[in-house]
Amino acid sequence: MPRTGRRPGRPDTRGEIVAAAARCFAEAGYDATSIRHVAADAGVDPALVRRFFGGKDELFTEVAQAVIGPGSAVAAVAQGPADQAGERLLRYFLGLLGDVHRPGPLLGLIRSAVTSQHAADVLRTFLAERVLGGIAGALQADQGALRSALVSSQLVGIAVTRYATRLAPLTAATDDELVGWIAPVLQYYLTGDHIAR
Amino acid sequence: MPRTGRRPGRPDTRGEIVAAAARCFAEAGYDATSIRHVAADAGVDPALVRRFFGGKDELFTEVAQAVIGPGSAVAAVAQGPADQAGERLLRYFLGLLGDVHRPGPLLGLIRSAVTSQHAADVLRTFLAERVLGGIAGALQADQGALRSALVSSQLVGIAVTRYATRLAPLTAATDDELVGWIAPVLQYYLTGDHIAR
């Protein structure tokens, strides 16, 4: 029978700090969030946060790691029929964004990167090293780095216009409808022919 | 011979206030900007700003109007061969964004909308009433509202990933290269066949 009334100590502390950091970055933005705020939100000592993660940049990278799940994103592209990679990646990403009226922590991460040049630098490094490189490597196509960056431009654009700006036609559309429209675009970026000019 | 050493009074005051507001929104964000800040930046009395524009929402809408140029955006879609509307719209939008290392005021507008729900509401109304509706009306295609919203998702995504997050493959690509990749996507959203699921 599971114990109740007490949260377990050690095993979840790391995860609780990351969850607290995700909340702080989403609510206050990157620049206004400090290790001290995160520690207070998680109910732990700031020194513990520093011991686990180092500084704020590393903590932001941990949040990105937990929220985006680079391994799963790359697997969505790499595993299964190649001509459905765009749809798999889009469905994975829409799942990360969550309910259109109550978006999950991914939107907070994007907000931080849009408003803080430093957060953008940290997120860019994370995306380049752990996500886009993996997707590019999974593709059997030239210009993999540019292709995966174009994919992320469309995904980030959906995050901003559907979940932040909330354009009505996008919030009214179902995930399946959006997949019908956008999956072919991601597929084109991933494996389609480049139209040279 | 033009007068020098003195800026003209009346004729440019309105434009100078809008330019000052664009700077304030871009630098401080929507929520932290007040009519008082804008007036100080423009070197005019706050009462004059209120007389010209009313409140902060209307001022933000004026900035959006000046920065985006809805008439030119709609004309880019409506005027010229229909099968090149995507390319014309993309080139117009890249022109608005400006130099990749020194982006213009459009990025500040998007930043405001990403961080302030209220700015997002104002921008959404502006886009819906003055831009997307016009583009939808210019299209000879069903689902015009959804199509123009999908177009804006890709355009906003390029703004964020190339100019704010600065993903290297996108900053390294020339405008012409990006047009080669992305114009067909905008064309598909504008006039292509919907792939039903």
Side-chain angles (χ1 to χ4, degrees):
Chain A
M1 187 177 157
R3 289 185 301 169
T4 54
R6 262 190 73 183
R7 290 195 292 177
R10 259 289 162 83
D12 282 295
T13 307
R14 236 188 113 91
E16 283 169 17
I17 294 171
V18 172
R23 281 192 297 274
C24 291
F25 288 132
E27 284 163 20
Y30 184 85
D31 294 335
T33 295
S34 68
I35 294 286
R36 187 169 295 274
H37 290 132
V38 173
D41 191 290
V44 301
D45 193 90
L48 185 66
V49 178
R50 286 200 192 83
R51 181 145 59 82
F52 273 155
F53 299 102
K56 188 162 78 164
D57 288 5
E58 291 82 359
L59 193 51
F60 190 74
T61 299
E62 283 297 320
V63 170
Q65 175 84 23
V67 167
I68 295 175
S72 305
V74 174
V77 173
Q79 293 172 5
D83 62 356
Q84 290 160 28
E87 174 170 348
R88 288 194 302 275
L89 185 60
L90 180 57
R91 288 196 185 277
Y92 177 73
F93 187 78
L94 291 174
L96 290 186
L97 282 163
D99 185 285
V100 72
H101 297 293
R102 227 178 326 151
L106 179 57
L107 186 61
L109 211 65
I110 292 171
R111 281 199 162 114
S112 286
V114 170
T115 48
S116 160
Q117 192 54 57
H118 191 75
D121 293 342
V122 176
L123 188 64
R124 180 180 61 239
T125 304
F126 171 83
L127 288 174
E129 290 179 358
R130 303 199 200 176
V131 186
L132 303 185
I135 290 176
L139 297 176
Q140 302 293 320
D142 63 344
Q143 293 191 276
L146 180 56
R147 288 173 182 276
S148 57
L150 288 163
V151 164
S152 64
S153 80
Q154 176 61 88
L155 293 177
V156 167
I158 281 294
V160 171
T161 52
R162 191 185 194 209
Y163 300 79
T165 317
R166 300 195 192 193
L167 292 178
L170 299 179
T171 59
T174 64
D175 282 7
D176 282 345
E177 286 177 283
L178 291 182
V179 168
W181 281 99
I182 300 169
V185 169
L186 300 191
Q187 191 67 42
Y188 155 72
Y189 284 149
L190 287 169
T191 61
D193 287 338
H194 173 221
I195 297 163
R197 306 248 153 178
Chain B
M1 187 176 156
R3 288 185 301 169
T4 52
R6 260 191 73 183
R7 290 195 291 180
R10 257 288 162 84
D12 283 296
T13 307
R14 236 187 113 90
E16 283 170 17
I17 294 171
V18 172
R23 280 192 297 275
C24 290
F25 289 132
E27 283 163 22
Y30 184 84
D31 294 334
T33 295
S34 68
I35 294 286
R36 187 168 294 275
H37 290 131
V38 172
D41 190 291
V44 301
D45 193 89
L48 184 67
V49 178
R50 286 201 191 83
R51 180 146 60 82
F52 273 154
F53 299 102
K56 187 161 79 165
D57 289 4
E58 292 82 357
L59 193 51
F60 190 74
T61 299
E62 283 297 321
V63 170
Q65 175 84 22
V67 167
I68 294 176
S72 305
V74 173
V77 172
Q79 293 171 5
D83 63 355
Q84 291 161 26
E87 173 169 348
R88 288 195 302 275
L89 185 60
L90 180 57
R91 288 195 186 277
Y92 177 72
F93 187 79
L94 291 174
L96 289 187
L97 281 163
D99 185 284
V100 72
H101 297 292
R102 226 180 325 152
L106 179 57
L107 186 61
L109 211 65
I110 293 172
R111 282 200 161 113
S112 286
V114 170
T115 48
S116 160
Q117 192 54 55
H118 190 74
D121 294 341
V122 176
L123 189 64
R124 181 180 58 240
T125 303
F126 171 82
L127 287 175
E129 291 178 358
R130 303 199 200 176
V131 187
L132 303 185
I135 290 176
L139 297 176
Q140 302 293 322
D142 64 344
Q143 295 190 276
L146 180 56
R147 287 174 184 275
S148 58
L150 287 164
V151 164
S152 63
S153 79
Q154 176 62 86
L155 292 177
V156 167
I158 281 294
V160 171
T161 52
R162 191 184 194 211
Y163 299 79
T165 316
R166 301 194 191 193
L167 291 178
L170 299 178
T171 58
T174 64
D175 282 7
D176 281 345
E177 284 177 285
L178 291 183
V179 168
W181 280 99
I182 300 170
V185 168
L186 299 189
Q187 191 65 43
Y188 155 72
Y189 284 149
L190 287 169
T191 61
D193 287 338
H194 172 222
I195 297 163
R197 306 250 153 176

